[in-house]
Amino acid sequence: MFVALALVLGLVVFDVVRRPSLRRLAARNIVRRPGEAALVVLGSMLGTAIICTAFIVGDTFGESIRAIAPQKLGEVDIEIVATEPSKLLPALAAADLGSIEGIDGTLPLLRIGATATTVGDDRVAETMSGLIELDFDAARAFGSDPATTGLVDAGATPAPGEAVIGRDLADELVVEPGDTIEVFGYGTSRQLVVRDVVDRKGLAGYGSYAWNNLAPTVFVAPGTIDGMRAEGKAPAAIPPDARLLVSADGGVFAETSTPVFDEIERRLDGVDGASVYAAKDDLLEDAEREADGMQQLFSGIGGFSVIAGILLLVNIFVMLAEERKAELGVLRAVGLKRNHLVRTFGIEGAIYAAIASVVGGVVGIGIGRAISSVAARLMDRGNEGGGLDMIFTVKPASVITAMLVGLLISMVTIWGTSLRIGRLNIIRAIREQAEPPRDPRSRRSLVLGILGVAVGLLILQAGVGGRSAPPTSLGPAVALFSTILLLRRRIPERIAASVPAALVVLYELTCFAIFPDSYVDPSIATFVVQGVTTSAAAVVLAASNADFVAGAGERLTGSSLAARLGSAYPLARRFRTGLLLGVYTLIIFTLTFMATLSNVFQAQTPRVADQMRGGFDLFVTSSWTNPATKEQIAAQDGVDVVASFRRGSVQFQRDGQEEPEWWAVSGFDAGLLEGGAPDLEQTWQGLSESEAWEMAAAGVLSAPDGEPMVFLEGGPGSAERPTPIPAIIPSFFLQNGNGPPQQSPKPGMLVDIVDPTTDERVELLAVGIVAGDWAGNGVFVADSFLQSFVEPTTVPRHFVRVTEAADPEAVAERITTELIPQGADARTFREMVALGTSTQAGFFRLIEGYLGLGLLIGVAGLGVVMVRAVRERRKEIGMLRAMGLQSSMVRRAFLLEAAFIAAQGIVVGIALGLLTSWSVLSNSEAFSAETGVQFAVPWGTVVVLLVVPMLASLLGVLAPANSASRVRPAIALRIAD
């Protein structure tokens, strides 16, 4: 990029310095028409702003996740975890970790998940608190800087009956130093006086069991946890979590942690009950992955607007050339060479582009700030107030890169257009005559057509062979567009252009069904390519048949003179009209597509909730160290049936993964089947849903009707390994990115379940794919298998069916209130799904707002074109006015011209968006019919997209229309400027 930009700018700088005549010619028009130059800069800068926004959003998300390191880890780089303290200490003594070079400190601690509440009648509870024992003096000495621990001013280690709590917990419970709280665990409780409140920082923010960014921690006196465990009666609870925290040299973001981790892992290899985790490196990798994902998401979606900006630039410079045609012809006649003419336009365009890149960078920072703020609110809502703390980040390198990318795009566009301008005929230019159409039978058209078809077929072959969606969408479009050059040689141009364009639209709408293997895991780039090719084909189709549309419009308006004038110019300048149509079509298409998906997903809330709940009404979670038992829940008024789920800490590894990944698992038994199991999207080898659930509940795999077992190829297992364990797997299994699922699980898929403590692994076979997993149940396996495979396990989750006479919401509130010591949180399935879908819809709306920038490009482009059109057609307008045409008629003609262009783009864009949405939801593997996702037209959004862009377009051209109506005939016909 830098090389290409240096070459282009180097030529511009050379011309500016060494060729003052070219410099003066380029600057002359900018100085003469500053208002119009400002419009050009406005249209050019939006592309840079969009690119800059994508970089800033990515940087903000990445930095926000990185900020978790000082907030919740401090100088903790490595964690050594054991399920029992008695297993950890001997292993550490034998490993002699103190002799490892690069270790800056170690710190043992003990923690459990607990429920913390206020005391009194109206309790306020935090069910996901972390109860931690650690020595405060040792903690402050941990690492290189006591300030990073967050405990500098926390005083001594809490005494019995005291607690130091985190700021997040204090805010949740509304308590302050001197107040009393009660913590529950292991079937008992302790009342503690809050001695101090510490901010979420380093060790003071460590140890959270919350599913969000909050750290509701409670630091207690040594011996508190063991005392509660010895005193309480909770045999199903998991034991305390014993950890040794390790700090590597180098502070919070130590660069020496990897060799330290490798050496610790080597020394503890084979030690039973101890696991080593690179906590800091894992967090930073997540930050980088999330930042890249958000940047790709906004770059991909913003690509539509960038392309719209490119089309606008081409249109502007084509109009500049048309407007100055006589002037350029005279310059060529008096000796200005063609390459000098091109370079003059290059200098002028470089000035516009340079200013636009700077302004676009500044505007992009503002837009990025707004998007980050909205995203933070959405994440807070989705995580119930504990979303990611968004740290707005502007990295100079990102802004400069975005500005350079925008500048390069503008310069390439400008120079490409300038080369086209430079081919003008001198005589025709001076006489202001139109260039004759090119001969469709030229050898050049033949060569380009054949070459284009060949290249398109090669792209398609590469896409199908590599099972890649973008080239599979692009290849046929390139080939079919190229056939236009060949067909024009033999048949009328309207048919030659319309038939291939219609076939491109038809192919893009059906490509998911034609090449299903290529569209198994479509990426954002797939939808960008598909959107661009479909929109381009629709524009060609519309431009080729615009006279039919104009005729229909004239009939609707009674064949008025204004209507005929309004359509005459767009029909005479079809290339320019097509560029404007492309801007509108592309943006309206994308807005319609996103709005349709958002509407569909939100409308699925009742269906998804019904699929997930099966025959149950409520979903209940509780503490792992003090879980609500099945009997306790069943004893509540209004409860009819309870099905319980066992949980344990496991990892999974599927084919192609380098390392196992953490994922939820739920052990279940026949109780779930009796109450009604969740719906399945797909099953293995034709099993019914009930047969698949029964097989998974039994934990024994058998082929239906004695048929041979068929596993998907490429699984991690082999014929020598034991028969896999049947499992039900969620549709988003092991998905951590944005967008549609990648490598969607299929029935018959083999996956390893891994015990992270012992590294033991067992192969599972997916006998069913569960339709929805908004509750985070993860992989369903037999309760007996999970209990025997991993230790420890507990039963903290339940599905509840209420009696016919009971109100599910009232029963949920009763369970939550009555079982506060157990940390119970009961919700209806619809409430749970609605929270997730509303957040999802919020992100869709955020992206739609981001895409609205592209609509600004369209409106700005139409306004710029109309301003230029007034200038270009000044003599024509003067002649019409001299012949008696009233000024109001001129104004109406210009408004109808804008409406003629905008209406076509809006209608075509909406139609394409709806058709593409229908095709994707009907045929894509990501949204197959088996998922139950059904297409529905968002009528409210369609009406908004019909009305708002049209009104904005008319308002945008009102000023140039008024300017045209005020043209004085005598002045327009007498002078050239």
Side-chain angles (χ1 to χ4, degrees):
M1 183 187 71
F2 284 109
V3 171
L5 193 59
L7 291 174
V8 175
L9 290 180
L11 180 59
V12 171
V13 172
F14 174 81
D15 288 337
V16 168
V17 174
R18 300 299 300 272
R19 298 188 181 275
S21 58
L22 300 184
R23 181 184 66 231
R24 285 193 293 270
L25 284 173
R28 174 174 172 266
N29 290 295
I30 300 175
V31 175
R32 286 168 58 196
R33 298 164 186 165
E36 296 175 27
L39 288 176
V40 177
V41 171
L42 174 66
S44 305
M45 70 90 180
L46 287 173
T48 302
I50 289 165
I51 296 170
C52 186
T53 299
F55 277 105
I56 287 176
V57 170
D59 290 342
T60 297
F61 269 87
E63 195 63 29
S64 300
I65 297 173
R66 281 175 59 89
I68 297 176
Q71 285 182 356
K72 301 186 74 172
L73 288 176
E75 295 195 31
V76 177
D77 295 298
I78 300 164
E79 299 172 321
I80 303 172
V81 182
T83 54
E84 287 282 2
S86 59
K87 294 182 179 180
L88 179 63
L89 298 178
L92 297 179
D96 189 22
L97 301 183
S99 63
I100 298 177
E101 184 178 355
I103 287 183
D104 197 27
T106 61
L107 180 68
L109 64 78
L110 199 64
R111 71 171 187 169
I112 62 170
T115 299
T117 74
T118 56
V119 295
D121 295 332
D122 297 325
R123 288 179 181 265
V124 180
E126 170 55 62
T127 61
M128 301 297 292
S129 299
L131 204 63
I132 301 177
E133 292 181 9
L134 65 82
D135 184 283
F136 276 25
D137 291 332
R140 283 186 282 267
F142 178 74
S144 60
D145 183 3
T148 62
T149 66
L151 299 174
V152 174
D153 300 320
T157 304
E162 289 183 342
V164 174
I165 67 174
R167 179 72 59 189
D168 295 325
L169 181 60
D171 292 342
E172 178 68 21
L173 302 185
V174 193
V175 297
E176 57 187 19
D179 292 339
T180 300
I181 63 172
E182 189 168 8
V183 293
F184 295 86
Y186 295 117
T188 186
S189 69
R190 291 286 189 274
Q191 288 197 357
L192 306 170
V193 176
V194 177
R195 193 190 73 196
D196 200 358
V197 177
V198 292
D199 293 328
R200 186 202 317 154
K201 182 179 181 181
L203 296 172
Y206 180 83
S208 170
Y209 279 81
W211 296 341
N212 49 41
N213 195 44
L214 302 179
T217 52
V218 182
F219 295 98
V220 296
T224 302
I225 294 175
D226 285 339
M228 294 175 69
R229 189 181 184 194
E231 177 185 323
K233 296 179 181 179
I238 62 170
D241 186 5
R243 298 191 173 217
L244 182 73
L245 310 182
V246 179
S247 172
D249 292 335
V252 173
F253 297 102
E255 297 180 359
T256 59
S257 61
T258 300
V260 172
F261 172 82
D262 293 339
E263 179 61 20
I264 293 175
E265 198 171 46
R266 186 188 67 80
R267 295 194 183 190
L268 293 179
D269 185 33
V271 175
D272 185 29
S275 302
V276 186
Y277 302 106
K280 188 71 63 62
D281 285 349
D282 291 345
L283 174 68
L284 297 181
E285 287 177 9
D286 288 343
E288 184 176 350
R289 182 170 59 246
E290 186 70 18
D292 290 344
M294 294 303 296
Q295 182 176 319
Q296 290 173 18
L297 173 65
F298 280 87
S299 296
I301 297 298
F304 290 104
S305 298
V306 172
I307 294 171
I310 292 173
L311 295 178
L312 175 59
L313 272 180
V314 173
N315 211 342
I316 288 172
F317 275 85
V318 169
M319 291 200 72
L320 284 175
E322 289 289 341
E323 179 190 338
R324 305 175 193 168
K325 196 169 187 178
E327 175 187 336
L328 297 177
V330 171
L331 289 173
R332 289 280 287 114
V334 298
L336 191 70
K337 296 181 180 179
R338 179 174 294 174
N339 76 87
H340 290 165
L341 182 63
V342 172
R343 287 154 72 176
T344 300
F345 266 95
I347 295 172
E348 182 178 351
I351 296 172
Y352 291 139
I355 298 173
S357 65
V358 175
V359 176
V362 175
V363 172
I365 294 173
I367 298 171
R369 179 62 179 265
I371 288 178
S372 300
S373 177
V374 174
R377 290 197 295 271
L378 289 172
M379 295 183 72
D380 271 348
R381 185 173 65 188
N383 290 280
E384 301 182 348
L388 189 66
D389 290 339
M390 298 298 288
I391 301 174
F392 180 64
T393 304
V394 179
K395 294 184 178 180
S398 295
V399 176
I400 292 172
T401 301
M403 291 167 60
L404 292 178
V405 170
L407 181 60
L408 178 62
I409 291 174
S410 298
M411 291 301 300
V412 170
T413 304
I414 289 164
W415 277 88
T417 309
S418 300
L419 290 172
R420 180 181 182 274
I421 293 169
R423 294 197 299 267
L424 59 82
N425 181 278
I426 298 174
I427 303 300
R428 292 194 187 93
I430 294 175
R431 294 177 177 177
E432 296 192 53
Q433 296 176 342
E435 294 289 331
R438 293 181 181 176
D439 182 7
R441 299 188 179 184
S442 66
R443 182 174 298 177
R444 178 183 178 186
S445 296
L446 177 63
V447 173
L448 289 176
I450 294 174
L451 183 62
V453 171
V455 170
L457 293 176
L458 288 174
I459 295 174
L460 173 62
Q461 182 182 18
V464 174
R467 297 186 176 184
S468 176
T472 305
S473 287
L474 180 62
V478 172
L480 286 169
F481 281 132
S482 300
T483 60
I484 296 176
L485 298 175
L486 303 178
L487 293 176
R488 289 173 58 201
R489 303 172 64 86
R490 299 295 179 186
I491 61 177
E493 186 166 347
R494 183 198 302 274
I495 301 175
S498 299
V499 172
L503 290 176
V504 170
V505 174
L506 181 62
Y507 171 76
E508 296 296 350
L509 294 177
T510 57
C511 56
F512 291 95
I514 298 173
F515 299 109
D517 290 343
S518 297
Y519 294 90
V520 172
D521 304 310
S523 62
I524 294 173
T526 302
F527 298 111
V528 174
V529 170
Q530 190 180 34
V532 171
T533 54
T534 307
S535 299
V539 167
V540 171
L541 197 60
S544 301
N545 300 277
D547 50 337
F548 292 144
V549 179
E554 290 178 17
R555 286 191 292 273
L556 287 174
T557 56
S559 298
S560 66
L561 177 60
R564 289 196 295 272
L565 288 174
S567 60
Y569 190 77
L571 292 177
R573 300 288 191 272
R574 298 204 181 199
F575 177 73
R576 283 194 239 167
T577 303
L579 290 176
L580 270 178
L581 275 178
V583 174
Y584 273 85
T585 300
L586 199 60
I587 299 304
I588 298 297
F589 158 79
T590 315
L591 285 170
T592 305
F593 180 77
M594 299 301 297
T596 303
L597 291 187
S598 174
N599 178 71
V600 165
F601 287 137
Q602 264 200 300
Q604 301 305 312
T605 297
R607 182 192 59 81
V608 171
D610 289 340
Q611 285 182 329
M612 187 174 68
R613 73 186 184 91
F616 296 89
D617 301 295
L618 306 178
F619 175 65
V620 182
T621 61
S622 59
S623 170
W624 282 42
T625 56
N626 194 29
T629 65
K630 183 176 182 178
E631 292 73 21
Q632 287 174 318
I633 295 175
Q636 302 300 315
D637 291 341
V639 173
D640 184 18
V641 178
V642 180
S644 302
F645 297 96
R646 185 174 300 276
R647 306 283 279 183
S649 297
V650 298
Q651 295 176 317
F652 292 91
Q653 185 174 11
R654 62 182 296 176
D655 183 45
Q657 284 183 281
E658 296 182 0
E659 298 289 338
E661 290 189 29
W662 294 99
W663 203 261
V665 65
S666 294
F668 72 101
D669 56 22
L672 178 65
L673 311 184
E674 293 171 5
D679 294 346
L680 299 181
E681 291 180 2
Q682 306 171 64
T683 59
W684 176 61
Q685 288 193 227
L687 291 171
S688 67
E689 291 190 34
S690 59
E691 289 173 337
W693 279 110
E694 289 168 2
M695 188 179 296
V700 179
L701 185 67
S702 60
D705 301 326
E707 297 178 3
M709 296 185 187
V710 179
F711 304 158
L712 291 182
E713 296 180 358
S718 64
E720 292 76 19
R721 298 183 66 174
T723 302
I725 301 296
I728 305 293
I729 291 180
S731 56
F732 274 76
F733 180 56
L734 295 179
Q735 302 299 318
N736 294 310
N738 302 300
Q742 305 294 307
Q743 296 184 337
S744 303
K746 298 288 187 299
M749 182 185 77
L750 296 168
V751 60
D752 282 356
I753 182 172
V754 182
D755 183 339
T757 303
T758 64
D759 286 332
E760 178 187 358
R761 59 179 60 211
V762 172
E763 194 170 62
L764 306 180
L765 177 94
V767 297
I769 307 298
V770 73
D773 190 30
W774 292 87
N777 291 312
V779 177
F780 290 91
V781 295
D783 182 79
S784 56
F785 163 72
L786 184 62
Q787 193 171 6
S788 64
F789 174 71
V790 65
E791 290 184 357
T793 61
T794 186
V795 185
R797 290 186 164 214
H798 310 271
F799 279 9
V800 175
R801 185 169 69 196
V802 303
T803 59
E804 292 184 6
D807 176 18
E809 293 184 357
V811 175
E813 185 177 355
R814 186 180 304 119
I815 292 173
T816 301
T817 303
E818 294 297 325
L819 299 180
I820 282 181
Q822 287 74 27
D825 182 10
R827 301 185 182 192
T828 63
F829 286 94
R830 182 165 296 189
E831 177 190 356
M832 184 187 311
V833 176
L835 178 64
T837 54
S838 65
T839 303
Q840 190 179 59
F843 271 104
F844 272 116
R845 287 192 292 271
L846 176 63
I847 293 174
E848 288 167 23
Y850 179 60
L851 282 168
L853 295 172
L855 189 59
L856 286 179
I857 292 177
V859 174
L862 192 57
V864 170
V865 167
M866 286 304 178
V867 169
R868 292 291 182 184
V870 172
R871 177 80 59 183
E872 180 182 343
R873 286 184 270 168
R874 186 179 46 211
K875 289 185 179 181
E876 298 173 17
I877 297 170
M879 182 66 71
L880 290 171
R881 292 281 288 116
M883 294 171 63
L885 196 69
Q886 295 180 353
S887 61
S888 61
M889 187 70 72
V890 173
R891 182 189 303 108
R892 194 178 308 131
F894 270 86
L895 291 175
L896 286 173
E897 181 178 328
F900 175 75
I901 296 172
Q904 286 187 82
I906 292 168
V907 172
V908 172
I910 289 175
L912 281 182
L914 294 176
L915 286 172
T916 304
S917 303
W918 168 80
S919 175
V920 170
L921 293 171
S922 302
N923 301 307
S924 172
E925 286 283 343
F927 312 107
S928 63
E930 295 171 337
T931 65
V933 176
Q934 298 178 350
F935 170 76
V937 178
W939 291 111
T941 303
V942 169
V943 171
V944 171
L945 289 177
L946 281 170
V947 174
V948 173
M950 179 60 73
L951 291 177
S953 301
L954 294 177
L955 288 174
V957 301
L958 187 58
N962 286 330
S963 175
S965 69
R966 291 193 296 266
V967 170
R968 297 181 180 180
I971 296 177
L973 295 174
R974 186 172 65 239
I975 62 175
D977 202 335

